[in-house]
């Protein structure tokens, strides 16, 4: 297979349409969790989805993914006033992993996302 034929994980997972479907289901799952739903009381979930989609585009090598984004700063700023606990973060990650399983996302892509979750945890969880 030539370099031009190698697909990014973004393309392999189905691109923007697939990521949108996963995020729609993911946020449904988050809102069904009493421990997590309160984080969204004063927030329109549809306003948050594009931000997570952008992060996933960076993580999975999507086309036109931002190269100027500092994920640590981006995530710290977005979550600094929320008081996210390790338990909240863990549950959110579990909802995401369950959603990826529901959509039959390939194991290597799930591993990439799980690795990204572990890497960014310090920038989301309140100290």
């Amino acid at each position: 297979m030539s370099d031009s034929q190698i697909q990014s994980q973004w393309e392999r997972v189905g691109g923007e349409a697939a990521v949108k479907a996963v995020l729609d289901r993911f946020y449904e799952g988050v809102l069904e969790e009493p421990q997590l739903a309160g984080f969204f009381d004063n927030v329109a979930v549809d306003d948050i989805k594009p931000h997570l989609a952008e992060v996933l585009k960076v993580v999975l090598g999507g086309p036109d993914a931002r190269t100027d984004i500092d994920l640590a700063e981006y995530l710290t700023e977005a979550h600094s006033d929320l008081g996210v606990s390790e338990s909240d973060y863990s549950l959110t990650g579990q909802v995401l992993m369950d959603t990826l399983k529901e959509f039959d996302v390939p194991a290597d892509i799930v591993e990439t996302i799980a690795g990204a979750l572990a890497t960014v945890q310090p920038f989301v969880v309140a100290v």
Side-chain angles (χ1 to χ4, degrees):
M1 183 177 279
S2 74
D3 286 347
S4 64
Q5 293 174 314
I6 297 173
Q7 290 186 315
S8 69
Q9 288 185 324
W10 176 264
E11 293 165 322
R12 287 182 43 233
V13 80
E16 187 174 338
V19 169
K20 181 187 179 317
V22 167
L23 290 179
D24 287 346
R25 179 63 194 110
F26 164 70
Y27 279 107
E28 287 174 8
V30 167
L31 292 173
E32 290 169 359
E33 291 291 343
Q35 180 177 337
L36 303 175
F39 288 108
F40 302 92
D41 285 346
N42 299 313
V43 179
V45 171
D46 286 340
D47 291 344
I48 299 171
K49 287 179 191 177
H51 298 286
L52 185 51
E54 187 64 38
V55 170
L56 288 172
K57 186 183 277 190
V58 170
V59 169
L60 299 177
D64 303 320
R66 289 178 57 183
T67 57
D68 64 334
I69 190 169
D70 177 341
L71 286 179
E73 181 180 326
Y74 185 76
L75 293 169
T76 298
E77 185 176 310
H79 298 91
S80 63
D81 295 333
L82 298 179
V84 176
S85 70
E86 286 194 26
S87 175
D88 299 329
Y89 191 83
S90 177
L91 181 55
T92 302
Q94 187 59 55
V95 171
L96 180 56
M97 292 297 110
D98 291 348
T99 303
L100 297 174
K101 184 177 179 179
E102 182 179 326
F103 279 82
D104 295 321
V105 173
D108 65 308
I109 296 173
V110 172
E111 288 176 24
T112 296
I113 293 170
L117 284 173
T119 299
V120 303
Q121 180 175 352
F123 311 114
V124 176
V125 174
V127 180

